[in-house]
Amino acid sequence: MSVNKEVKRVTTHSLQEMKNRGEKIAMLTAYDYSMATIVDDAGIDVILVGDSASNVMAGHETTLPITLDQMIYHASSVVRAANRALVVVDLPFGSYQGNSKEALNSAIRIMKEAGAHAIKIEGGAEIAESVSRILTAGIPVMGHLGLTPQSIYKFGTYTVRAKEEAEAQKLKEDALKLQELGCFAIVLEKIPAKLAKEVSDSLQIPTIGIGAGHDCGGQVLVIHDMLGINKGFRPRFLRQYADLYDIMNNAVKGYIKDVKAEDFPNEKEQY
């Protein structure tokens, strides 16, 4: 007799329990129903509907062009597929900077219209008011420090951040501030591994690293990078687990060849 076990949803509380017992958190991006189904079925802990959709889905050079409406569209597609994973959604550029009321409204729209479980927001002390206001509405917030792609034109480069003492000290202070405000986790992107360890050890909440070494409480990668769909993008921090670009490219070539040769469809493939 088979027993149908109910899938247990990962929550922010689950992530804290994982942190407490030393279990690493696995997080990947997804932007559509089909990909999210695969990722969720594989047992991922957290799915990030990242504003990186601006790059990998829409072909933009930066994350800045993607809109709140577009993020809600991607997020709602992912939420419909995720039976287990915690779904975290990026607040896109322009939806929260400098205006805590707009930040709250943006977060509420993502939660109501997409059915998301939490939002992610870039920045430290400068966005404290927005973070506080969102949290007072009962919306879980994940922070993001280090290389913050929405500020790329301020940085002028995608190089490693916080290598200098002043910036490293600010990052440490910002991490503690975000924890104090009530964030349930913080992404640390492209910072020295030693600094990431210091920050992670100083916090009670989990850190999620991307290009921040192995001492973070978990790791996140962009799914298109990890699966080798984006050809030619190979930063040091990326481990590529498949080469789907060539697999998919060869499959399309095979289809074209069979159509041209009148081999597809054959008699078994028609009515």
Side-chain angles (χ1 to χ4, degrees):
M1 179 179 175
S2 64
V3 178
N4 183 20
K5 290 186 177 180
E6 185 178 348
V7 177
K8 187 176 180 182
R9 168 77 68 186
V10 176
T11 65
T12 57
H13 181 68
S14 307
L15 301 188
Q16 188 61 55
E17 289 181 326
M18 292 170 72
K19 156 84 172 177
N20 294 343
R21 64 175 177 261
E23 179 183 348
K24 298 292 187 179
I25 297 163
M27 178 168 159
L28 282 170
T29 65
Y31 316 98
D32 63 79
Y33 179 85
S34 298
M35 190 72 81
T37 298
I38 295 169
V39 171
D40 191 70
D41 285 351
I44 203 72
D45 298 314
V46 185
I47 297 177
L48 172 65
V49 185
D51 57 3
S52 47
S54 179
N55 309 102
V56 299
M57 301 299 287
H60 294 296
E61 185 178 352
T62 72
T63 62
L64 274 63
I66 199 163
T67 67
L68 182 60
D69 284 341
Q70 290 168 332
M71 288 301 301
I72 289 170
Y73 165 78
H74 287 294
S76 61
S77 301
V78 169
V79 167
R80 283 191 286 271
N83 294 313
R84 177 184 183 276
L86 179 78
V87 179
V88 181
V89 182
D90 271 333
L91 283 187
F93 178 74
S95 68
Y96 64 92
Q97 288 92 342
N99 187 328
S100 63
K101 183 178 180 181
E102 184 171 1
L104 175 59
N105 289 338
S106 299
I108 287 173
R109 282 198 63 200
I110 285 175
M111 300 297 283
K112 285 178 67 71
E113 297 177 37
H117 308 137
I119 62 97
K120 182 168 75 65
I121 187 169
E122 294 184 6
E126 64 277 6
I127 60 159
E129 186 180 339
S130 292
V131 171
S132 294
R133 198 157 186 170
I134 294 168
L135 285 166
T136 57
I139 299 171
V141 176
M142 177 180 282
H144 185 149
L145 298 171
L147 177 63
T148 47
Q150 291 179 14
S151 302
I152 188 57
Y153 288 126
K154 180 180 78 173
F155 294 148
T157 174
Y158 284 103
T159 192
V160 177
R161 304 304 312 170
K163 291 190 290 185
E164 303 300 325
E165 180 57 32
E167 189 178 350
Q169 183 59 35
K170 183 181 185 311
L171 190 145
K172 293 177 190 176
E173 293 170 0
D174 281 342
L176 289 170
K177 181 66 175 177
L178 290 174
Q179 175 178 263
E180 179 188 338
L181 290 170
C183 290
F184 70 89
I186 301 174
V187 170
L188 299 176
E189 180 168 359
K190 214 166 183 185
I191 64 172
K194 182 180 177 183
L195 175 60
K197 182 180 185 333
E198 289 180 34
V199 172
S200 299
D201 289 346
S202 74
L203 298 176
Q204 295 178 326
I205 60 175
T207 57
I208 309 292
I210 176 167
H214 67 266
D215 289 307
C216 295
Q219 300 293 328
V220 60
L221 286 174
V222 172
I223 188 77
H224 290 68
D225 300 339
M226 187 271 278
L227 293 177
I229 297 173
N230 288 334
K231 200 167 182 67
F233 182 71
R234 294 297 298 269
R236 182 191 299 187
F237 66 78
L238 173 63
R239 182 178 295 183
Q240 189 175 304
Y241 285 81
D243 187 3
L244 293 194
Y245 181 95
D246 285 343
I247 291 172
M248 295 169 74
N249 187 267
N250 288 332
V252 173
K253 287 178 178 175
Y255 167 75
I256 294 169
K257 177 175 174 291
D258 289 349
V259 170
K260 300 289 186 183
E262 298 185 32
D263 180 59
F264 175 79
N266 60 31
E267 288 188 6
K268 291 182 180 179
E269 295 163 331
Q270 60 189 20
Y271 299 98

